[in-house]
Amino acid sequence: MTVPSFVLEASVRDGPTSDADLWRLIATDDHQAFTELFERHAQTVWNYAYRLTASWSAADDLLATTFLTAWRRRREVRLVRESALPWLYTVTSNVCRGERRRRGRFLRVVPRLVTAGSTPDHAEQFAQDSATRERLHRVLAAIEHLPRGECEAVKVCLLGGTSAADAAELFGISEVSVRSRLSRARARLQELTQETPDE
């Protein structure tokens, strides 16, 4: 039996609901439900984007692109245990990877992007000077050199905080396989950075 949309909408507006309830409304082009989902997960997705990029401005851009993609693909979203976060993490990671490839091509074509007389953003300059930022950059660079399966597991589980069980469901593999990928990734990252990826 199908629940009429007005009944579902009323239940969503009455109080906290699952992501699955919101997505059913979003799939019918409900902007208010999408706003509610955005407000629920935006900070978590931004934090994840920052851990991927070590840049405040890049995290802002990734957050916007992730939710724009979510709206465009609202009828294709695959929830894990009624949570949208693993799917949102995957979109964020894919967008980030695409941006890195585009930026790499651009940097090869244009050798100098910043002239000597340009004024740096003080917030970004402060973050650049941080030892934490340098360490994060080192670890993120190492993560990008991992085999694809291990890289995805690290991003979703270690950087995104998704459980191995949820990641297994998202990737369509066993939980043991996810844990194995994480174990191999940790060993490789220790060799590459002399520190663990979640430090």
Side-chain angles (χ1 to χ4, degrees):
M1 175 180 158
T2 304
V3 178
S5 62
F6 67 87
V7 173
L8 180 59
E9 185 171 346
S11 69
V12 168
R13 303 303 178 231
D14 287 342
T17 59
S18 69
D19 288 355
D21 291 335
L22 290 174
W23 273 115
R24 279 189 282 276
L25 291 173
I26 292 166
T28 65
D29 302 335
D30 187 316
H31 292 269
Q32 187 177 345
F34 189 76
T35 300
E36 192 172 328
L37 188 97
F38 176 84
E39 290 171 352
R40 179 180 294 180
H41 293 307
Q43 186 61 56
T44 304
V45 172
W46 187 92
N47 291 342
Y48 177 63
Y50 180 78
R51 289 194 294 270
L52 288 177
T53 61
S55 166
W56 296 332
S57 59
D60 288 342
D61 291 343
L62 274 177
L63 175 67
T65 304
T66 295
F67 278 93
L68 178 61
T69 302
W71 177 255
R72 287 178 177 162
R73 297 178 58 191
R74 59 193 173 276
R75 293 175 185 89
E76 307 166 28
V77 173
R78 182 178 173 196
L79 303 184
V80 175
R81 297 177 205 262
E82 295 204 345
S83 173
L85 268 177
W87 188 85
L88 290 169
Y89 286 154
T90 300
V91 171
T92 305
S93 179
N94 289 341
V95 171
C96 182
R97 187 170 30 254
E99 286 300 316
R100 281 197 179 116
R101 279 197 293 265
R102 279 191 289 276
R103 190 167 54 245
R105 287 194 295 267
F106 185 71
L107 289 173
R108 284 193 293 274
V109 173
V110 183
R112 286 190 67 173
L113 295 177
V114 182
T115 61
S118 65
T119 306
D121 175 31
H122 294 293
E124 289 289 336
Q125 186 174 355
F126 175 80
Q128 266 183 336
D129 294 339
S130 164
T132 301
R133 182 180 169 87
E134 290 173 17
R135 184 173 63 204
L136 186 55
H137 274 297
R138 200 165 51 248
V139 173
L140 289 173
I143 289 171
E144 292 302 319
H145 287 91
L146 294 173
R148 183 182 176 99
E150 293 175 22
C151 180
E152 289 175 346
V154 167
K155 287 179 177 179
V156 170
C157 295
L158 299 184
L159 297 181
T162 301
S163 71
D166 287 350
E169 189 173 334
L170 180 68
F171 298 145
I173 60 177
S174 71
E175 185 175 343
V176 171
S177 296
V178 172
R179 293 187 184 282
S180 176
R181 289 180 182 184
L182 289 172
S183 178
R184 289 194 305 270
R186 282 189 175 103
R188 288 186 217 270
L189 288 171
Q190 280 184 316
E191 289 177 13
L192 291 169
T193 66
Q194 299 303 308
E195 58 186 292
T196 57
D198 49 351
E199 283 184 352

